[in-house]
Amino acid sequence: KGFGSIERGMFESFNNESTKEEIPLKIGGFFTPIHALIGGTTIGISVIANAILFGRVTGNSGMIRSLISKPVVANTFKYSYVGGLLTAGLVLRYKYPHVFCGDALTHAGIPRIAVGTFLMGLGATLGNGCTAGHSVCGVARLSTRSAVFTAVYMAVASLTSHLTKTAEALNIPAVPPELSLPSSDTVLKITAFNAGLVATYALAAFRPQLRTPVVESGLSYLTGLGFGVGLGVAGMSRADKVAAFLDFDKPWFDGSLAFVMASAVGLAAIGFRIVKTRGSCTFFGKQLSIPTAKNIDARLLLAATLFGAGWGYAGYCPGPLAVNLTGDSTGNGAIGFATMLTGMFVGSRIPPGFLSK
C-alpha cells in the first residue's frame, strides 16, 4: 500500500492495524514543529508541578543517578520519578513505536552508543545537570551558570556531530526534512493526557488531606511519566532527530527541537516565577531545593564539554535514554543506559573540589 502524506506523520492514529504496519520507524527526514511544541508543553507541565508542589527542579540526571547511590528513604521521590520515565517508554513502545530509532542505532554500532553515553553520563554528573536541569529548569530560572553550561555543550555537541559524522552513522538521508503535522486524533489524545495531569496536580495542591508521602510518590511518578511521554512526542527519544538538529549547516538539518525548548522553557519559567512569588512556601510544605550556585569554574566547563561530546556523538541525554531503556525493542537503549550509569558512577567518584574554585 502506498505511503501517503498522512501516514508519514510522526504520530498518527493507531486505531487500525494496517495504519500501524505502514508507519516505519525511520522518521529522521521530517520536520515536526507541532509535535515538538506539544511535547515541550507536556515536559513543561511536569517541571511546573515539581516546582510549585515540591519546590524542586526536574533534573533527569540527578533522578537517574539515585539508582546507583545508596538506597535511602529521602530518594523515594526520585525512584518514583524514574519509574514514571520507564513507564513512559513502555507506553510509547506500545502506542507509538516509531518514536524510537533502534534501527539507526544498530547502524551506528555499539562502540558509538557506549562511548557517547558514557561521556554524557560523566559530564552530567560533574556538571550536576543535563538538558533538563540546566537547559530547561536553569535557563527558565535565568541562571547564568546553566546558560553557560548549555551554550558550551550545544557548541561542543554540534562540533562533535560534524567531526564524527553522527548523522551519517545514524543513516540519516541527505535530503531536506519535509513538514509533518500530527493527526487531530493524536492532538486530542495528548491534550487530554495533559489536562488529566494538570487536574491531578491541582487537586493535590488544593486538598491538604492529600499531602502525604504516598501521594507525593504518586505525583513524582506522574511527573516522570509526563516528562517521558513529552520526550517521545517531541522526538527527543530519537538519536537521529538530535543529530539532524545539531547539523545546522547540512541539507538534513531539522530545527524541530528548538520548538521543544521554546515551549518547555516558557512553561518552566511560569512555574519558577510562582515559586519565587510564594517564597519558601511550597504546596507540600517542602523546603525549597533550587540550586543557588553561580560560579563558572573549570569543572563546569569540563562537564559541559564532556556532556556535549557525548550528546553529539550518540544523540542521547539522560531522560530520553531512560525512556529508550524500556521503549527500544532492539536493546540498544539498554546498552546506552548501562554505559551512561557507568559514566555517572565514575563521575560520582571524582572529588567535589576537583577543578572547582
Side-chain angles (χ1 to χ4, degrees):
K1 191 174 179 178
F3 185 55
S5 59
I6 295 180
E7 296 159 314
R8 299 175 65 180
M10 181 178 170
F11 280 87
E12 297 299 331
S13 172
F14 281 78
N15 291 331
N16 63 76
E17 201 60 27
S18 61
T19 303
K20 186 174 182 178
E21 292 173 352
E22 289 172 357
I23 298 178
L25 291 176
K26 188 66 181 176
I27 62 170
F30 294 97
F31 176 49
T32 55
I34 305 304
H35 300 89
L37 286 171
I38 295 174
T41 298
T42 308
I43 290 171
I45 290 172
S46 289
V47 174
I48 288 178
N50 271 323
I52 66 176
L53 292 178
F54 310 117
R56 56 186 177 232
V57 299
T58 306
N60 285 326
S61 61
M63 301 288 193
I64 294 171
R65 196 161 60 246
S66 67
L67 299 179
I68 59 174
S69 302
K70 181 179 179 180
V72 293
V73 175
N75 282 340
T76 300
F77 77 90
K78 295 182 180 180
Y79 307 144
S80 298
Y81 178 89
V82 175
L85 286 177
L86 299 180
T87 302
L90 292 173
V91 171
L92 292 167
R93 179 174 178 172
Y94 167 74
K95 191 65 178 176
Y96 303 116
H98 50 295
V99 304
F100 302 106
C101 61
D103 54 339
L105 292 172
T106 298
H107 187 274
I110 292 178
R112 178 178 286 268
I113 298 172
V115 172
T117 55
F118 174 86
L119 291 175
M120 178 270 293
L122 176 60
T125 301
L126 291 178
N128 198 32
C130 56
T131 49
H134 280 302
S135 301
V136 176
C137 296
V139 171
R141 292 184 294 106
L142 302 181
S143 165
T144 301
R145 180 179 170 85
S146 290
V148 169
F149 185 92
T150 299
V152 171
Y153 87 67
M154 284 294 297
V156 173
S158 181
L159 180 62
T160 301
S161 180
H162 278 77
L163 294 178
T164 66
K165 301 184 183 301
T166 301
E168 290 91 329
L170 292 170
N171 203 28
I172 295 178
V175 296
E178 299 179 28
L179 177 66
S180 176
L181 300 176
S183 67
S184 58
D185 178 70
T186 295
V187 173
L188 288 174
K189 286 179 179 178
I190 301 301
T191 300
F193 175 73
N194 286 340
L197 290 177
V198 172
T200 302
Y201 299 143
L203 180 65
F206 296 107
R207 290 290 184 88
Q209 62 269 34
L210 295 179
R211 298 170 191 173
T212 67
V214 173
V215 172
E216 179 184 352
S217 292
L219 293 173
S220 295
Y221 172 83
L222 287 181
T223 59
L225 176 64
F227 203 109
V229 169
L231 290 172
V233 173
M236 289 196 70
S237 54
R238 293 189 62 106
D240 53 2
K241 196 80 170 170
V242 173
F245 173 70
L246 294 174
D247 287 352
F248 60 88
D249 60 340
K250 301 294 184 180
W252 54 79
F253 170 67
D254 177 1
S256 301
L257 299 191
F259 292 84
V260 183
M261 294 301 298
S263 54
V265 172
L267 281 177
I270 295 175
F272 288 112
R273 178 63 181 175
I274 294 174
V275 170
K276 184 176 181 179
T277 301
R278 289 177 60 88
S280 60
C281 181
T282 63
F283 281 100
F284 267 63
K286 299 287 184 179
Q287 292 292 323
L288 288 182
S289 183
I290 307 297
T292 57
K294 298 181 180 180
N295 58 310
I296 310 298
D297 51 27
R299 184 187 180 94
L300 181 75
L301 299 178
L302 173 62
T305 299
L306 291 171
F307 183 86
W311 194 47
Y313 193 60
Y316 283 120
C317 53
L321 201 50
V323 174
N324 269 265
L325 174 62
T326 52
D328 174 24
S329 61
T330 67
N332 290 316
I335 294 173
F337 191 82
T339 49
M340 175 188 69
L341 286 181
T342 303
M344 289 181 169
F345 177 80
V346 172
S348 67
R349 293 301 181 269
I350 297 177
F354 178 70
L355 294 181
S356 296
K357 290 183 180 179

